[in-house]
Amino acid sequence: MGRGWTGADGLAPARFARPVRQCGQAARSSGPEFGRHVVWQETGDFVALSDDSSKKFIEIQVLLRNSMALFRSDGHAGPLLVSPSGAPLTSSTSADGGPDLELSPENAAQARGAEAKAPVLQSGNPFLLLVGELDKQVTKKVAGLRKAAQGRLPLVRLNCSALPQVCEALQIVSSPTLLLMAKGQVVAALEQMSPQTATAFVENVAQMLGLKVDLAEAVTEQLQDAELQEWKDLPSAEQSFGSVLSRSDLPNDARVRALAGRARCLLRRREPTAAQQSKVMLEELQAAGHGGVPEVKQAVAMLWIDQKQQELGETNLQTLKAAWEANPTDFAAVQAYAVSIFWAHGEAEAFEAGLQLLRRKRSDEARQLVLSLVEALGPSHPRSAPARRPGDRPVGGI
């Protein structure tokens, strides 16, 4: 007996929440079972079979990455859906993201050819299977995914009225439903439609295929503006970061970047309570594995500078400046002035004071101070790029 569609459900590769059922079986339960099968029998019916192999899913993950790597290397576009005989299934329409075709009883039968036991659309390359119509917002996200695939991620439309056995065997009970398929496997599924789930689905598929998808070009520009505003107009920056975080369909990388921006704004308020809130936020971001994000590293460095400034007994900026000018090679005097002038819109002066010390008197303390000041400038500050050198290590954890 040949095999048709098989796969795992869920947005993340490690989450498989739906067991396979036979056609007509309505019950569902939770569990780690892998996959949904549908095979063509000589009787002309589709039936569902079970496959609990997590190894098979890993093989499909490797297949996905190898397929997309091949697409990127050969630069050759062409029909990616083939019948068991190897003949391509051509598209009736072609969008910017790649070929589209309608799966019907006629071309499904053609795909089977003379081999009734062979699977339908047994493609070694990934494609999307759509039941129903996506709304405008979700369509735009999926289009971005297909565009990132450079035309190598076809869209196959399945009509459950025309092929009810396929939909039943794949446990498709709602419309719209969008599945990522590869070599007869359902690798990921989007069923509960919302901006948030669509974003998660696209991000997950992009990760599996090794693609970079920008789901929020406007958000990226808004974040860039906010990151410039925070140096000059704190209320406007806080409002901008808050506006970004209020979006229901915010991609995860943009959310992390905006949270880091909010943490920096809290530090800029120069209030103990706000600083503590910032510290908690940054601890959570680091615990979630986002400590390497440049904007998070910037906020962590700023928190370090804030803590050093809070340890000072003297807070008068003119007094601290006079002490530094009197002894520019004294580490304590330089650090006290640098961590204080930083918060008075003097981030460039703070960096120069630390750098002068490091040039005259190299030490681990001086190096950490300078690296902290550089990191606190952030990736978008005009002084940031010239101040960085290959091999520099930022300040460690909180």
Side-chain angles (χ1 to χ4, degrees):
M1 183 180 296
R3 177 176 297 181
W5 289 284
T6 308
D9 184 87
L11 291 178
R15 295 173 56 197
F16 312 119
R18 181 186 305 175
V20 177
R21 62 186 174 85
Q22 298 290 336
C23 290
Q25 181 180 350
R28 300 186 180 210
S29 62
S30 61
E33 287 102 334
F34 171 81
R36 288 177 267 184
H37 287 258
V38 56
V39 299
W40 181 262
Q41 292 186 317
E42 294 186 17
T43 59
D45 294 326
F46 287 99
V47 298
L49 302 173
S50 177
D51 183 352
D52 298 338
S53 172
S54 59
K55 179 181 178 182
K56 174 63 68 176
F57 179 76
I58 296 174
E59 292 173 353
I60 294 302
Q61 289 277 64
V62 174
L63 171 72
L64 287 171
R65 288 211 174 252
N66 289 346
S67 297
M68 298 309 293
L70 177 62
F71 297 155
R72 289 194 294 271
S73 63
D74 64 17
H76 181 267
L80 302 181
L81 300 177
V82 297
S83 70
S85 65
L89 295 177
T90 58
S91 171
S92 58
T93 61
S94 181
D96 292 339
D100 291 8
L101 65 89
E102 184 82 23
L103 186 62
S104 65
E106 289 76 19
N107 63 24
Q110 291 170 5
R112 293 195 308 275
E115 301 181 35
K117 296 181 181 180
V120 178
L121 292 180
Q122 179 66 37
S123 172
N125 299 313
F127 65 93
L128 295 172
L129 183 67
L130 173 63
V131 174
E133 296 294 332
L134 303 174
D135 64 31
K136 184 176 180 180
Q137 197 170 9
V138 176
T139 297
K140 185 176 180 180
K141 296 178 186 296
V142 174
L145 173 66
R146 299 183 67 204
K147 182 178 179 180
Q150 301 178 8
R152 274 82 167 183
L153 189 61
L155 180 68
V156 179
R157 299 178 183 274
L158 170 62
N159 187 335
C160 286
S161 297
L163 293 170
Q165 303 98 324
V166 177
C167 293
E168 185 176 1
L170 288 174
Q171 305 184 36
I172 297 174
V173 296
S174 63
S175 178
T177 290
L178 183 65
L179 306 176
L180 174 66
M181 310 284 294
K183 202 175 183 179
Q185 309 290 318
V186 178
V187 186
L190 174 62
E191 295 166 309
Q192 301 298 324
M193 296 290 170
S194 71
Q196 299 95 318
T197 58
T199 296
F201 175 82
V202 170
E203 288 182 329
N204 182 57
V205 171
Q207 183 180 17
M208 287 190 287
L209 299 182
L211 302 174
K212 178 65 176 177
V213 183
D214 187 356
L215 294 175
E217 295 180 4
V219 170
T220 299
E221 294 178 0
Q222 192 174 359
L223 284 170
Q224 290 173 342
D225 291 341
E227 287 160 358
L228 293 175
Q229 287 175 335
E230 67 178 271
W231 293 100
K232 302 175 181 179
D233 187 349
L234 181 58
S236 296
E238 288 186 303
Q239 183 177 3
S240 296
F241 285 126
S243 176
V244 170
L245 289 169
S246 68
R247 293 176 60 108
S248 60
D249 59 341
L250 189 64
N252 189 56
D253 56 349
R255 183 186 66 84
V256 170
R257 189 171 166 183
L259 286 171
R262 174 175 283 179
R264 295 193 304 272
C265 287
L266 288 170
L267 289 171
R268 293 182 189 279
R269 291 185 187 180
R270 314 308 302 135
E271 300 171 357
T273 301
Q276 180 60 31
Q277 292 175 348
S278 176
K279 182 176 184 293
V280 171
M281 290 177 63
L282 293 175
E283 287 174 341
E284 292 175 350
L285 286 171
Q286 288 189 315
H290 304 303
V293 176
E295 292 78 13
V296 176
K297 293 197 292 184
Q298 178 189 4
V300 171
M302 289 175 61
L303 179 62
W304 184 88
I305 293 173
D306 173 74
Q307 291 172 337
K308 295 301 179 183
Q309 198 269 338
Q310 295 300 326
E311 295 172 1
L312 297 177
E314 177 61 61
T315 58
N316 184 279
L317 192 56
Q318 293 303 317
T319 302
L320 295 172
K321 182 177 181 181
W324 163 64
E325 291 175 337
N327 194 354
T329 61
D330 180 72
F331 173 76
V334 175
Q335 177 170 278
Y337 173 65
V339 300
S340 298
I341 191 66
F342 179 90
W343 300 109
H345 304 287
E347 64 278 359
E349 292 88 340
F351 170 71
E352 289 297 336
L355 186 60
Q356 289 177 21
L357 171 66
L358 186 61
R359 286 170 175 170
R360 296 177 180 180
K361 189 177 180 180
R362 292 186 176 274
S363 67
D364 290 341
E365 289 180 326
R367 186 174 185 273
Q368 184 179 28
L369 173 63
V370 172
L371 289 179
S372 299
L373 291 168
V374 171
E375 206 70 68
L377 294 177
S380 60
H381 195 282
R383 295 296 303 273
S384 179
R388 295 172 186 267
R389 298 179 306 185
D392 280 348
R393 294 184 179 179
V395 178
I398 299 172

